[in-house]
Amino acid sequence: MNAVAAPAAVMLPAPRRAVDDTEAVAVLPALFVPEASQWLSTSSGRIAGEGYSWMQAVHWVAESGLYKPRQHRSHGPRSFGPTTVRVAQELAELFPCRPGIEYLVRRTGLSERSVEYHLGMLREAGLLAYIVRGTRVRGERALASEFARMVPLEFDVALGIRTVLRDEAAPAYTRAVTGIAETGRELMARLGKKASRKLRWPRLKMSPKALLADARAGADGGAGTAVSAGSRCTPMGGSADGSSSAGTTSLPPETRLASGAYKSSNSEKSKGKAGGRKSGRWPSNDVGRRYQLGRELTQQVEWLRGCSVPRISWVARAVADAGWSATEVLAWLHLRGTAQTVYRGSGLLAVLLSTAETVLDTPAKRADAIAQWRGAQEAQRRRRIEKVRADRERYDGDWQLPQSRAVHSEMDSAIAQLKSTSRAVLQRLLDDGEGSGSTSYELDVQELAGIRAAAQAGLETGDTTLINDTVHGCGLGEAVRVYGKDLIRRAHQLDRVRRSSLSTYAYGA
C-alpha cells in the first residue's frame, strides 16, 4: 500500500454503523464548514464538474455520518438524510444552480422553513458555496441565491482522489481530478450507482389528515394501501415496480375513444375544482370562520381594537361555530350592554358571549336583535345631529358670555342703566313734537354719546329696540345722524338673522 492510500484507508467511511459501534466514531473526523467559509472564494473544496459527480459526494456525506447538524444547532433536522438528498437532487439538475425558495417548495413539497434548513445543511457539509447571496427587501422582488456545487476536501482524501491545479494563477477551487486510489474505487462505484438513481416521492394531492388516515388503514390491513417510495404509477404502462397503487384504474373502451365521448378524469377534476370555489378562494373551514369573525370584531367594535385576532377568535369560537355573523354579534352586544371602562377587551367579550348561542338560538331571534340594534343606532344618530345643531345655534356668534356670575350681574346693571337713560332721552325727543320723520332735534354731545352707548350695548346683546324706535319715530335720516351708519347697518343685520329659523337671540327688556 502506497503513502497516499494509507491515510485513505484510515479515513474511508464505512456503511451505516450500528448503534453500539463506538470505535468507528473515534477515527472518523467531523465535517463542518463555518459560515465564513461557505463562500466560493473561501471554500476549501473544489467545484464539481457535473451533477453526477456532485451527487456522488452528496451520497458519501449522507452515508458516512461525518456531518451531524445537531452538534452545531439546537433546531432543525437531526441528520443528513433522504430529504436532504432529495433537495440536492433538484439542485443537481439546475444550471446555473440558482434555485429560489418557492421553486424548491413547489418541487419537493416541503415547507419554506424546511427548504432553508436543508440548504443550510448542504452549505455546512461543504457541498454548496455561495457565489451570490440572495436578498429579500420589503417592497421589492426577492432575488435567489446562486450556488456553486462543491466537492469537499474530505471526500477526496477519504477516497484517495488525486487532483491537480492546472493553472497556478487560478484559484484552488478549480482543481481537476487526475486519478483515484485502488482502495477507493469500489466505494466510488457504489456511490456512482446511487447517484444514477433518482429518489422519487409520491405526489398525492391529499390533505395531511387524509394521508395519515390512509397510512393507518394500510398499517391495520384495511382498505387503504400505502404507496411505497419506489412505486411510480404511470397512466399508460402501469407502475415501475409491477404493481399499481390505484387498484381499480382501467383503460376506457375503444368505442368511447372512437366516438370522442370519453373525457379524462383529469379534465373532470379540473372543472370540478374550478366550479367548486368562487372568486378564486376555497370555502373556509371552522378555524377560518373563527378567524374571519375575530378580525371583523376587532375592526368594528371600538373597545376591541388593538386586541389579538387569534385571542378574539378563540373567545368567539362558540358563536362562530353556530354560524353567527359580525352584525349578529354586534346586535347581541347592544342587547347585553357594555361597561363604560374596559380594561381587557377579550375578557369582557367572553363574559358577554357566555350565553349568546343559547338565548338567540334561531335565525329569527337574531334578526329581531339586529332590527332593534339598527333602530337604536338610528335614534342615536338623530340625537347626535340635534345636539350638534343646537350647539352650533348656541355658539355660532363671535361673542360669548363670560362664565363668572359677578360679571353677569355687573353687565346686566350697566345695560339696564344705559337703556333707561337712552329711553328717557328718546321719550323727551318724541314728546317735543310729532315730526313726520324728517324733524331734526338738537342734542348736546353728552346726550348723543349716551344714546350711542346705549344702542351699542343693546346691539352686543342682540337688542335693536332703541334704534328701531328711533327709525320709526324720527325717520331714517335722523336715526343715521344720531347713531351713525355702522350702528344702523348692524341693527338691520341682527333683525335679518333673528328672523331666520337657524338662530335664536335672547335679551333682557
Side-chain angles (χ1 to χ4, degrees), residues 114-293:
S114 298
V115 170
E116 294 176 352
Y117 275 139
H118 291 290
L119 288 178
M121 292 169 60
L122 290 172
R123 295 195 306 268
E124 291 178 353
L127 295 169
L128 286 181
Y130 280 119
I131 299 178
V132 177
R133 189 165 186 175
T135 58
R136 290 187 179 185
V137 181
R138 177 174 295 180
E140 299 181 2
R141 184 178 180 182
L143 299 179
S145 301
E146 185 175 352
F147 299 101
R149 292 181 287 263
M150 308 296 294
V151 176
L153 179 63
E154 291 80 2
F155 175 79
D156 294 341
V157 175
L159 275 75
I161 296 177
R162 296 184 295 274
T163 59
V164 62
L165 189 62
R166 301 187 185 278
D167 188 0
E168 295 181 357
Y173 54 79
T174 59
R175 299 189 304 271
V177 178
T178 58
I180 185 173
E182 292 294 335
T183 54
R185 294 182 180 273
E186 181 180 357
L187 179 58
M188 181 64 77
R190 182 160 55 86
L191 294 176
K193 292 181 180 180
K194 288 187 175 183
S196 60
R197 293 196 301 264
K198 300 293 184 181
L199 293 179
R200 302 189 184 277
W201 291 353
R203 295 183 179 180
L204 300 179
K205 297 181 179 180
M206 301 173 63
S207 63
K209 294 182 179 180
L211 287 174
L212 181 59
D214 194 12
R216 290 178 178 176
D220 297 337
T225 303
V227 181
S228 62
S231 64
R232 183 188 182 188
C233 182
T234 57
M236 296 301 296
S239 62
D241 56 358
S243 61
S244 174
S245 61
T248 59
T249 304
S250 60
L251 296 176
E254 296 182 0
T255 57
R256 296 183 63 187
L257 290 176
S259 61
Y262 175 72
K263 295 182 180 180
S264 63
S265 58
N266 293 333
S267 61
E268 294 176 358
K269 291 180 180 179
S270 62
K271 290 182 180 179
K273 290 180 180 179
R277 56 180 177 177
K278 298 179 180 179
S279 67
R281 297 181 61 184
W282 294 103
S284 301
N285 53 7
D286 294 341
V287 179
R289 285 192 296 270
R290 293 177 183 178
Y291 271 79
Q292 182 180 2
L293 180 59

Side-chain angles (χ1 to χ4, degrees), residues 154-477:
E154 291 80 2
F155 175 79
D156 294 341
V157 175
L159 275 75
I161 296 177
R162 296 184 295 274
T163 59
V164 62
L165 189 62
R166 301 187 185 278
D167 188 0
E168 295 181 357
Y173 54 79
T174 59
R175 299 189 304 271
V177 178
T178 58
I180 185 173
E182 292 294 335
T183 54
R185 294 182 180 273
E186 181 180 357
L187 179 58
M188 181 64 77
R190 182 160 55 86
L191 294 176
K193 292 181 180 180
K194 288 187 175 183
S196 60
R197 293 196 301 264
K198 300 293 184 181
L199 293 179
R200 302 189 184 277
W201 291 353
R203 295 183 179 180
L204 300 179
K205 297 181 179 180
M206 301 173 63
S207 63
K209 294 182 179 180
L211 287 174
L212 181 59
D214 194 12
R216 290 178 178 176
D220 297 337
T225 303
V227 181
S228 62
S231 64
R232 183 188 182 188
C233 182
T234 57
M236 296 301 296
S239 62
D241 56 358
S243 61
S244 174
S245 61
T248 59
T249 304
S250 60
L251 296 176
E254 296 182 0
T255 57
R256 296 183 63 187
L257 290 176
S259 61
Y262 175 72
K263 295 182 180 180
S264 63
S265 58
N266 293 333
S267 61
E268 294 176 358
K269 291 180 180 179
S270 62
K271 290 182 180 179
K273 290 180 180 179
R277 56 180 177 177
K278 298 179 180 179
S279 67
R281 297 181 61 184
W282 294 103
S284 301
N285 53 7
D286 294 341
V287 179
R289 285 192 296 270
R290 293 177 183 178
Y291 271 79
Q292 182 180 2
L293 180 59
R295 189 182 307 108
E296 293 177 356
L297 291 179
T298 54
Q299 294 174 355
Q300 299 181 22
V301 181
E302 183 68 26
W303 45 273
L304 288 181
R305 293 182 180 178
C307 295
S308 173
V309 174
R311 180 179 293 275
I312 300 301
S313 305
W314 182 82
V315 170
R317 65 190 184 280
V319 293
D321 295 342
W324 284 41
S325 63
T327 306
E328 294 172 346
V329 175
L330 292 176
W332 170 257
L333 295 179
H334 168 71
L335 295 178
R336 286 294 306 269
T338 57
Q340 295 181 354
T341 304
V342 180
Y343 297 98
R344 189 178 182 184
S346 58
L348 178 60
L349 182 65
V351 174
L352 296 178
L353 294 180
S354 58
T355 59
E357 67 275 8
T358 58
V359 176
L360 302 181
D361 53 351
T362 60
K365 294 181 180 179
R366 295 196 290 268
D368 294 339
I370 292 176
Q372 296 180 16
W373 172 60
R374 294 193 185 280
Q377 276 191 326
E378 181 65 21
Q380 185 178 4
R381 186 183 69 85
R382 291 180 179 275
R383 288 194 298 268
R384 185 167 58 251
I385 292 175
E386 293 176 357
K387 182 178 182 301
V388 171
R389 181 178 297 173
D391 292 342
R392 287 183 178 179
E393 292 177 355
R394 181 178 179 183
Y395 300 107
D396 197 18
D398 297 335
W399 183 82
Q400 295 182 1
L401 293 174
Q403 301 295 329
S404 175
R405 293 184 178 180
V407 176
H408 283 189
S409 61
E410 292 180 1
M411 288 182 58
D412 294 340
S413 60
I415 292 173
Q417 184 178 0
L418 290 174
K419 285 183 178 181
S420 61
T421 304
S422 60
R423 288 182 178 178
V425 174
L426 182 60
Q427 186 65 32
R428 181 172 61 83
L429 293 175
L430 294 176
D431 293 342
D432 289 343
E434 297 289 334
S436 62
S438 60
T439 305
S440 178
Y441 298 93
E442 295 295 331
L443 299 175
D444 57 4
V445 178
Q446 294 182 355
E447 290 179 348
L448 189 62
I451 293 174
R452 290 182 178 179
Q456 179 70 28
L459 292 179
E460 289 178 355
T461 59
D463 186 7
T464 60
T465 305
L466 184 59
I467 296 177
N468 291 335
D469 292 343
T470 306
V471 172
H472 292 299
C474 303
L476 181 60

